[in-house]
Amino acid sequence: MSEITRNNFEQKYPKIVESLRNAVFIAVDTEFTGLLSDPDFKASLFDTSNERYDKLRRSVQHFIIMQIGICTFRFVQDKNKYEASRYTFYIFPKSFASVDNKFMCQASSLEFLCQHDFDFNKFVYEGVPYLNQQQEAHLRKQLNEGSLFRHLERTISLENERSIQLVCSRVAEWSASAVLGDVLELSDMDVCKGEKPLAYVVHKELRQRFPNVWTFPDSGFIRVQKISEEERKAREGSKDENESLEADLMDSLLGFSRLFKLLVELQKPIVGHNFLMDLMIMYSQFHEQLPTQLSDFKEKIHRMFPVIYDTKYLSFEIKKIMKREGMWESNILSHLYHFFKEGRGRYFVLFSPVIEIKNEAEIHDPQMKDQEVRADESGRNQDLDVKFHEAGWDSFCTGYCFIRLAHIFAHVTLDCVSEGRMLTSRELLSGAASKKNCVNLIRASVSHICLDGPDPASEKPQWIHVQTKTFQAIDISKVAELFARFGAVDVKPFTRFRALVAVGNCRSASDIVTQFQKHRDFNVSYYHPIRHSPVLRGFLWTGLVVSGGIFACLLFKEFDRITKS
């Protein structure tokens, strides 16, 4: 595994780009600062796909990704093997000029990550920066207009200001005795090396203060040279001179966003597990503000990533097709991975490919080599240091499960079992193609959202209507407590004396209605809009009264006409 921070991002960047370009598909996983910004946004069995999207949208806009895992999978056809290269990126929003992100943290989310040894120091001190499109456009505009320095004061610390003053004092002292062509190397001053945004400020400050010198970036340091007035004018007028410095600055500030843009450009299949929230927060953090409507989000995310697979959704769908004993009991990622890695899942179908993590060039510390996943003599990977909820590892597990699940789909849909042969990567992806662009929904009225078409109809049971037999207001918490033993239920108030209950499956709904038929406190039945909705009942009664009045009026007129004749 490669752990990517601000310190090694530029060094590793070419290798990561090469890995992405050579991949058959790319698996992604993220870790957030929080999940739920308000209790009102909690998932519910009542939620439609539009309602769930709106809840998630209003939540994720407050949180950020702290760690993102990317795992690329390359197919080696002659060995029936997939080689995985996994990367764990720590990312953190860097403040610069007018860019100064604000975000929320949720205690429960951070406590959960603490339990899994998350390194918060790396997140803050060494996180790779990023910009969304709006921030990038705004900074580029300020650079073009020359107004960037108006906003720099609030993002430069007092310590850095003092360091810049020391640099200026040293250059002033040197310049007083230097002759044309003399060079001063500032390699021993920390403010002149390392972070490019700060180095950019030093370049600009020195060029502005000293009209008889010019600065040059030199292997991560700053070189100052005394030049003539004519050469100074020529360099100031050189478009390449200024654009090169500003391009380095923007590349540094864009950071991980450069890789996100590459993912969009490559249009490779993207794989995630329970993937909707990951997609939404990546869209918000690296691209632009989330659209208010689900239909707009679906259109835009599908344009960015035309092929998306959700392994949680795939695991549900395979269970429907296979209908056999010995399947996984839970499709939590860690359970699903161990099922295919160590359990019966290894023998479901023939010619299942080998999946191997590449060790060469991925090990950043030779002493850590024995903690990686490596192949034994039989070609099976041995997990020597499994660490779930570390984004790089989870992205590998997601891709691993996708290969196993897609392999089963391919054998079922393409009927490759009878042919008795291995599958190409194209056939593997074709086998699962009917399930692409469907992302799982947890605890909602629909099972999933379809990113390239209409969402499915709800398969959840009919709502249950609960009404008190007394004149006391209904106690929602009491109803929820009574029904909880029947499985997943959500309760919401309907009127002062009535409530609606959404149930996870038809059997639980039937059991509730049956067992509460003679309850002493509540009348329990399936919800019927005409019988139970106050609004519809009001309309019906109004209609009856009005139609009855009209009928009576007509009858009276007819009777009056007959009597007069």
Side-chain angles (χ1 to χ4, degrees), residues 497-523:
F497 303 106
R498 293 186 281 175
L500 293 177
V501 181
V503 186
N505 59 74
C506 293
R507 181 172 180 178
S508 296
S510 176
D511 289 345
I512 290 172
V513 172
T514 301
Q515 294 194 32
F516 281 82
Q517 278 187 347
K518 298 181 180 179
H519 196 272
R520 64 180 185 181
D521 296 325
F522 301 112
N523 286 318

PDB file of all heavy atoms in Angstrom, residues 497-523:
ATOM      1  N   PHE A 497     -54.278  11.558  17.314  1.00  0.00           N
ATOM      2  CA  PHE A 497     -54.623  10.251  17.880  1.00  0.00           C
ATOM      3  C   PHE A 497     -54.171   9.075  17.015  1.00  0.00           C
ATOM      4  O   PHE A 497     -54.450   7.935  17.345  1.00  0.00           O
ATOM      5  CB  PHE A 497     -56.146  10.153  18.093  1.00  0.00           C
ATOM      6  CG  PHE A 497     -56.693  11.242  18.959  1.00  0.00           C
ATOM      7  CD1 PHE A 497     -57.432  12.284  18.411  1.00  0.00           C
ATOM      8  CD2 PHE A 497     -56.460  11.233  20.329  1.00  0.00           C
ATOM      9  CE1 PHE A 497     -57.933  13.291  19.205  1.00  0.00           C
ATOM     10  CE2 PHE A 497     -56.963  12.239  21.140  1.00  0.00           C
ATOM     11  CZ  PHE A 497     -57.689  13.281  20.587  1.00  0.00           C
ATOM     12  N   ARG A 498     -53.481   9.369  15.930  1.00  0.00           N
ATOM     13  CA  ARG A 498     -53.122   8.290  15.004  1.00  0.00           C
ATOM     14  C   ARG A 498     -51.670   8.407  14.547  1.00  0.00           C
ATOM     15  O   ARG A 498     -51.087   9.504  14.566  1.00  0.00           O
ATOM     16  CB  ARG A 498     -54.054   8.304  13.787  1.00  0.00           C
ATOM     17  CG  ARG A 498     -55.495   7.950  14.147  1.00  0.00           C
ATOM     18  CD  ARG A 498     -56.355   7.824  12.917  1.00  0.00           C
ATOM     19  NE  ARG A 498     -56.762   9.115  12.404  1.00  0.00           N
ATOM     20  CZ  ARG A 498     -57.439   9.279  11.274  1.00  0.00           C
ATOM     21  NH1 ARG A 498     -57.758   8.225  10.546  1.00  0.00           N
ATOM     22  NH2 ARG A 498     -57.798  10.467  10.869  1.00  0.00           N
ATOM     23  N   ALA A 499     -51.100   7.277  14.113  1.00  0.00           N
ATOM     24  CA  ALA A 499     -49.723   7.242  13.610  1.00  0.00           C
ATOM     25  C   ALA A 499     -49.638   6.274  12.440  1.00  0.00           C
ATOM     26  O   ALA A 499     -50.493   5.392  12.282  1.00  0.00           O
ATOM     27  CB  ALA A 499     -48.762   6.806  14.715  1.00  0.00           C
ATOM     28  N   LEU A 500     -48.627   6.459  11.622  1.00  0.00           N
ATOM     29  CA  LEU A 500     -48.329   5.545  10.517  1.00  0.00           C
ATOM     30  C   LEU A 500     -47.026   4.812  10.818  1.00  0.00           C
ATOM     31  O   LEU A 500     -46.096   5.379  11.383  1.00  0.00           O
ATOM     32  CB  LEU A 500     -48.207   6.298   9.195  1.00  0.00           C
ATOM     33  CG  LEU A 500     -49.477   6.948   8.651  1.00  0.00           C
ATOM     34  CD1 LEU A 500     -49.174   7.707   7.367  1.00  0.00           C
ATOM     35  CD2 LEU A 500     -50.555   5.890   8.405  1.00  0.00           C
ATOM     36  N   VAL A 501     -46.992   3.540  10.416  1.00  0.00           N
ATOM     37  CA  VAL A 501     -45.816   2.708  10.658  1.00  0.00           C
ATOM     38  C   VAL A 501     -45.338   2.122   9.330  1.00  0.00           C
ATOM     39  O   VAL A 501     -46.127   1.519   8.595  1.00  0.00           O
ATOM     40  CB  VAL A 501     -46.129   1.560  11.649  1.00  0.00           C
ATOM     41  CG1 VAL A 501     -44.874   0.723  11.905  1.00  0.00           C
ATOM     42  CG2 VAL A 501     -46.691   2.117  12.962  1.00  0.00           C
ATOM     43  N   ALA A 502     -44.051   2.321   9.029  1.00  0.00           N
ATOM     44  CA  ALA A 502     -43.429   1.688   7.866  1.00  0.00           C
ATOM     45  C   ALA A 502     -42.618   0.497   8.357  1.00  0.00           C
ATOM     46  O   ALA A 502     -41.880   0.605   9.333  1.00  0.00           O
ATOM     47  CB  ALA A 502     -42.537   2.680   7.135  1.00  0.00           C
ATOM     48  N   VAL A 503     -42.765  -0.634   7.683  1.00  0.00           N
ATOM     49  CA  VAL A 503     -42.148  -1.887   8.130  1.00  0.00           C
ATOM     50  C   VAL A 503     -41.199  -2.393   7.046  1.00  0.00           C
ATOM     51  O   VAL A 503     -41.440  -2.206   5.843  1.00  0.00           O
ATOM     52  CB  VAL A 503     -43.233  -2.949   8.439  1.00  0.00           C
ATOM     53  CG1 VAL A 503     -42.598  -4.203   9.036  1.00  0.00           C
ATOM     54  CG2 VAL A 503     -44.268  -2.373   9.397  1.00  0.00           C
ATOM     55  N   GLY A 504     -40.112  -3.048   7.482  1.00  0.00           N
ATOM     56  CA  GLY A 504     -39.063  -3.470   6.555  1.00  0.00           C
ATOM     57  C   GLY A 504     -39.455  -4.570   5.598  1.00  0.00           C
ATOM     58  O   GLY A 504     -38.986  -4.608   4.469  1.00  0.00           O
ATOM     59  N   ASN A 505     -40.328  -5.504   6.006  1.00  0.00           N
ATOM     60  CA  ASN A 505     -40.694  -6.607   5.106  1.00  0.00           C
ATOM     61  C   ASN A 505     -42.143  -7.032   5.344  1.00  0.00           C
ATOM     62  O   ASN A 505     -42.745  -6.719   6.390  1.00  0.00           O
ATOM     63  CB  ASN A 505     -39.753  -7.801   5.286  1.00  0.00           C
ATOM     64  CG  ASN A 505     -39.771  -8.341   6.701  1.00  0.00           C
ATOM     65  OD1 ASN A 505     -40.718  -8.994   7.119  1.00  0.00           O
ATOM     66  ND2 ASN A 505     -38.716  -8.055   7.470  1.00  0.00           N
ATOM     67  N   CYS A 506     -42.695  -7.748   4.376  1.00  0.00           N
ATOM     68  CA  CYS A 506     -44.120  -8.111   4.394  1.00  0.00           C
ATOM     69  C   CYS A 506     -44.458  -9.053   5.554  1.00  0.00           C
ATOM     70  O   CYS A 506     -45.550  -8.954   6.141  1.00  0.00           O
ATOM     71  CB  CYS A 506     -44.508  -8.758   3.065  1.00  0.00           C
ATOM     72  SG  CYS A 506     -44.426  -7.619   1.660  1.00  0.00           S
ATOM     73  N   ARG A 507     -43.580  -9.969   5.879  1.00  0.00           N
ATOM     74  CA  ARG A 507     -43.862 -10.907   6.966  1.00  0.00           C
ATOM     75  C   ARG A 507     -44.008 -10.172   8.295  1.00  0.00           C
ATOM     76  O   ARG A 507     -44.926 -10.453   9.071  1.00  0.00           O
ATOM     77  CB  ARG A 507     -42.743 -11.940   7.052  1.00  0.00           C
ATOM     78  CG  ARG A 507     -42.984 -12.972   8.138  1.00  0.00           C
ATOM     79  CD  ARG A 507     -41.981 -14.094   8.092  1.00  0.00           C
ATOM     80  NE  ARG A 507     -42.226 -15.072   9.138  1.00  0.00           N
ATOM     81  CZ  ARG A 507     -41.524 -16.181   9.299  1.00  0.00           C
ATOM     82  NH1 ARG A 507     -40.529 -16.461   8.468  1.00  0.00           N
ATOM     83  NH2 ARG A 507     -41.810 -17.027  10.263  1.00  0.00           N
ATOM     84  N   SER A 508     -43.119  -9.220   8.556  1.00  0.00           N
ATOM     85  CA  SER A 508     -43.203  -8.440   9.795  1.00  0.00           C
ATOM     86  C   SER A 508     -44.493  -7.638   9.835  1.00  0.00           C
ATOM     87  O   SER A 508     -45.154  -7.557  10.873  1.00  0.00           O
ATOM     88  CB  SER A 508     -41.997  -7.505   9.914  1.00  0.00           C
ATOM     89  OG  SER A 508     -40.801  -8.234  10.030  1.00  0.00           O
ATOM     90  N   ALA A 509     -44.872  -7.048   8.709  1.00  0.00           N
ATOM     91  CA  ALA A 509     -46.109  -6.267   8.646  1.00  0.00           C
ATOM     92  C   ALA A 509     -47.318  -7.152   8.944  1.00  0.00           C
ATOM     93  O   ALA A 509     -48.220  -6.772   9.721  1.00  0.00           O
ATOM     94  CB  ALA A 509     -46.242  -5.610   7.281  1.00  0.00           C
ATOM     95  N   SER A 510     -47.356  -8.337   8.351  1.00  0.00           N
ATOM     96  CA  SER A 510     -48.462  -9.276   8.582  1.00  0.00           C
ATOM     97  C   SER A 510     -48.524  -9.694  10.048  1.00  0.00           C
ATOM     98  O   SER A 510     -49.615  -9.760  10.642  1.00  0.00           O
ATOM     99  CB  SER A 510     -48.300 -10.493   7.681  1.00  0.00           C
ATOM    100  OG  SER A 510     -49.303 -11.450   7.941  1.00  0.00           O
ATOM    101  N   ASP A 511     -47.364  -9.966  10.653  1.00  0.00           N
ATOM    102  CA  ASP A 511     -47.324 -10.377  12.062  1.00  0.00           C
ATOM    103  C   ASP A 511     -47.846  -9.274  12.972  1.00  0.00           C
ATOM    104  O   ASP A 511     -48.584  -9.541  13.932  1.00  0.00           O
ATOM    105  CB  ASP A 511     -45.894 -10.743  12.467  1.00  0.00           C
ATOM    106  CG  ASP A 511     -45.426 -12.044  11.833  1.00  0.00           C
ATOM    107  OD1 ASP A 511     -46.289 -12.795  11.326  1.00  0.00           O
ATOM    108  OD2 ASP A 511     -44.201 -12.300  11.837  1.00  0.00           O
ATOM    109  N   ILE A 512     -47.477  -8.026  12.674  1.00  0.00           N
ATOM    110  CA  ILE A 512     -47.929  -6.898  13.503  1.00  0.00           C
ATOM    111  C   ILE A 512     -49.439  -6.764  13.430  1.00  0.00           C
ATOM    112  O   ILE A 512     -50.127  -6.660  14.462  1.00  0.00           O
ATOM    113  CB  ILE A 512     -47.236  -5.597  13.053  1.00  0.00           C
ATOM    114  CG1 ILE A 512     -45.757  -5.622  13.412  1.00  0.00           C
ATOM    115  CG2 ILE A 512     -47.910  -4.380  13.699  1.00  0.00           C
ATOM    116  CD1 ILE A 512     -44.961  -4.464  12.835  1.00  0.00           C
ATOM    117  N   VAL A 513     -49.996  -6.753  12.211  1.00  0.00           N
ATOM    118  CA  VAL A 513     -51.445  -6.582  12.046  1.00  0.00           C
ATOM    119  C   VAL A 513     -52.206  -7.728  12.705  1.00  0.00           C
ATOM    120  O   VAL A 513     -53.236  -7.518  13.368  1.00  0.00           O
ATOM    121  CB  VAL A 513     -51.800  -6.477  10.545  1.00  0.00           C
ATOM    122  CG1 VAL A 513     -53.321  -6.502  10.359  1.00  0.00           C
ATOM    123  CG2 VAL A 513     -51.216  -5.203   9.956  1.00  0.00           C
ATOM    124  N   THR A 514     -51.691  -8.941  12.577  1.00  0.00           N
ATOM    125  CA  THR A 514     -52.356 -10.120  13.155  1.00  0.00           C
ATOM    126  C   THR A 514     -52.332 -10.083  14.677  1.00  0.00           C
ATOM    127  O   THR A 514     -53.365 -10.292  15.340  1.00  0.00           O
ATOM    128  CB  THR A 514     -51.678 -11.417  12.660  1.00  0.00           C
ATOM    129  OG1 THR A 514     -51.750 -11.456  11.235  1.00  0.00           O
ATOM    130  CG2 THR A 514     -52.369 -12.630  13.241  1.00  0.00           C
ATOM    131  N   GLN A 515     -51.190  -9.832  15.262  1.00  0.00           N
ATOM    132  CA  GLN A 515     -51.036  -9.927  16.708  1.00  0.00           C
ATOM    133  C   GLN A 515     -51.623  -8.735  17.462  1.00  0.00           C
ATOM    134  O   GLN A 515     -51.831  -8.812  18.672  1.00  0.00           O
ATOM    135  CB  GLN A 515     -49.558 -10.094  17.065  1.00  0.00           C
ATOM    136  CG  GLN A 515     -48.984 -11.424  16.574  1.00  0.00           C
ATOM    137  CD  GLN A 515     -47.648 -11.738  17.207  1.00  0.00           C
ATOM    138  OE1 GLN A 515     -47.394 -11.366  18.354  1.00  0.00           O
ATOM    139  NE2 GLN A 515     -46.797 -12.446  16.470  1.00  0.00           N
ATOM    140  N   PHE A 516     -51.893  -7.630  16.772  1.00  0.00           N
ATOM    141  CA  PHE A 516     -52.435  -6.458  17.469  1.00  0.00           C
ATOM    142  C   PHE A 516     -53.905  -6.202  17.112  1.00  0.00           C
ATOM    143  O   PHE A 516     -54.411  -5.111  17.349  1.00  0.00           O
ATOM    144  CB  PHE A 516     -51.597  -5.218  17.125  1.00  0.00           C
ATOM    145  CG  PHE A 516     -50.301  -5.134  17.885  1.00  0.00           C
ATOM    146  CD1 PHE A 516     -49.187  -5.837  17.454  1.00  0.00           C
ATOM    147  CD2 PHE A 516     -50.199  -4.388  19.047  1.00  0.00           C
ATOM    148  CE1 PHE A 516     -47.991  -5.779  18.134  1.00  0.00           C
ATOM    149  CE2 PHE A 516     -49.014  -4.326  19.745  1.00  0.00           C
ATOM    150  CZ  PHE A 516     -47.888  -5.024  19.299  1.00  0.00           C
ATOM    151  N   GLN A 517     -54.585  -7.226  16.584  1.00  0.00           N
ATOM    152  CA  GLN A 517     -55.988  -7.038  16.223  1.00  0.00           C
ATOM    153  C   GLN A 517     -56.864  -6.738  17.431  1.00  0.00           C
ATOM    154  O   GLN A 517     -57.841  -6.002  17.336  1.00  0.00           O
ATOM    155  CB  GLN A 517     -56.501  -8.288  15.499  1.00  0.00           C
ATOM    156  CG  GLN A 517     -56.153  -8.325  14.023  1.00  0.00           C
ATOM    157  CD  GLN A 517     -56.811  -9.494  13.312  1.00  0.00           C
ATOM    158  OE1 GLN A 517     -57.333 -10.403  13.956  1.00  0.00           O
ATOM    159  NE2 GLN A 517     -56.788  -9.471  11.985  1.00  0.00           N
ATOM    160  N   LYS A 518     -56.537  -7.303  18.577  1.00  0.00           N
ATOM    161  CA  LYS A 518     -57.377  -7.133  19.765  1.00  0.00           C
ATOM    162  C   LYS A 518     -56.619  -6.434  20.883  1.00  0.00           C
ATOM    163  O   LYS A 518     -56.833  -6.693  22.063  1.00  0.00           O
ATOM    164  CB  LYS A 518     -57.875  -8.494  20.245  1.00  0.00           C
ATOM    165  CG  LYS A 518     -58.746  -9.210  19.227  1.00  0.00           C
ATOM    166  CD  LYS A 518     -59.233 -10.548  19.745  1.00  0.00           C
ATOM    167  CE  LYS A 518     -60.107 -11.259  18.716  1.00  0.00           C
ATOM    168  NZ  LYS A 518     -60.576 -12.590  19.200  1.00  0.00           N
ATOM    169  N   HIS A 519     -55.731  -5.528  20.514  1.00  0.00           N
ATOM    170  CA  HIS A 519     -54.957  -4.810  21.524  1.00  0.00           C
ATOM    171  C   HIS A 519     -55.863  -3.864  22.298  1.00  0.00           C
ATOM    172  O   HIS A 519     -56.773  -3.247  21.726  1.00  0.00           O
ATOM    173  CB  HIS A 519     -53.808  -4.028  20.861  1.00  0.00           C
ATOM    174  CG  HIS A 519     -52.763  -3.576  21.822  1.00  0.00           C
ATOM    175  ND1 HIS A 519     -52.842  -2.378  22.495  1.00  0.00           N
ATOM    176  CD2 HIS A 519     -51.609  -4.169  22.231  1.00  0.00           C
ATOM    177  CE1 HIS A 519     -51.759  -2.236  23.264  1.00  0.00           C
ATOM    178  NE2 HIS A 519     -50.996  -3.321  23.120  1.00  0.00           N
ATOM    179  N   ARG A 520     -55.609  -3.734  23.583  1.00  0.00           N
ATOM    180  CA  ARG A 520     -56.517  -2.947  24.437  1.00  0.00           C
ATOM    181  C   ARG A 520     -56.380  -1.436  24.218  1.00  0.00           C
ATOM    182  O   ARG A 520     -57.335  -0.681  24.498  1.00  0.00           O
ATOM    183  CB  ARG A 520     -56.240  -3.256  25.904  1.00  0.00           C
ATOM    184  CG  ARG A 520     -54.865  -2.843  26.378  1.00  0.00           C
ATOM    185  CD  ARG A 520     -54.641  -3.159  27.836  1.00  0.00           C
ATOM    186  NE  ARG A 520     -53.352  -2.655  28.289  1.00  0.00           N
ATOM    187  CZ  ARG A 520     -52.882  -2.800  29.530  1.00  0.00           C
ATOM    188  NH1 ARG A 520     -53.620  -3.456  30.420  1.00  0.00           N
ATOM    189  NH2 ARG A 520     -51.715  -2.314  29.858  1.00  0.00           N
ATOM    190  N   ASP A 521     -55.208  -0.975  23.728  1.00  0.00           N
ATOM    191  CA  ASP A 521     -54.995   0.471  23.597  1.00  0.00           C
ATOM    192  C   ASP A 521     -55.076   0.979  22.163  1.00  0.00           C
ATOM    193  O   ASP A 521     -55.323   2.174  21.941  1.00  0.00           O
ATOM    194  CB  ASP A 521     -53.616   0.847  24.153  1.00  0.00           C
ATOM    195  CG  ASP A 521     -53.506   0.568  25.643  1.00  0.00           C
ATOM    196  OD1 ASP A 521     -54.518   0.735  26.343  1.00  0.00           O
ATOM    197  OD2 ASP A 521     -52.396   0.185  26.096  1.00  0.00           O
ATOM    198  N   PHE A 522     -54.834   0.091  21.170  1.00  0.00           N
ATOM    199  CA  PHE A 522     -54.723   0.564  19.798  1.00  0.00           C
ATOM    200  C   PHE A 522     -55.559  -0.265  18.828  1.00  0.00           C
ATOM    201  O   PHE A 522     -55.704  -1.474  18.990  1.00  0.00           O
ATOM    202  CB  PHE A 522     -53.257   0.495  19.315  1.00  0.00           C
ATOM    203  CG  PHE A 522     -52.309   1.310  20.138  1.00  0.00           C
ATOM    204  CD1 PHE A 522     -51.336   0.686  20.922  1.00  0.00           C
ATOM    205  CD2 PHE A 522     -52.365   2.699  20.140  1.00  0.00           C
ATOM    206  CE1 PHE A 522     -50.451   1.420  21.674  1.00  0.00           C
ATOM    207  CE2 PHE A 522     -51.479   3.453  20.893  1.00  0.00           C
ATOM    208  CZ  PHE A 522     -50.522   2.810  21.664  1.00  0.00           C
ATOM    209  N   ASN A 523     -56.085   0.424  17.803  1.00  0.00           N
ATOM    210  CA  ASN A 523     -56.629  -0.241  16.624  1.00  0.00           C
ATOM    211  C   ASN A 523     -55.526  -0.270  15.569  1.00  0.00           C
ATOM    212  O   ASN A 523     -54.991   0.781  15.196  1.00  0.00           O
ATOM    213  CB  ASN A 523     -57.836   0.531  16.076  1.00  0.00           C
ATOM    214  CG  ASN A 523     -59.058   0.353  16.946  1.00  0.00           C
ATOM    215  OD1 ASN A 523     -59.337  -0.754  17.416  1.00  0.00           O
ATOM    216  ND2 ASN A 523     -59.803   1.435  17.172  1.00  0.00           N
TER     217      ASN A 523
END
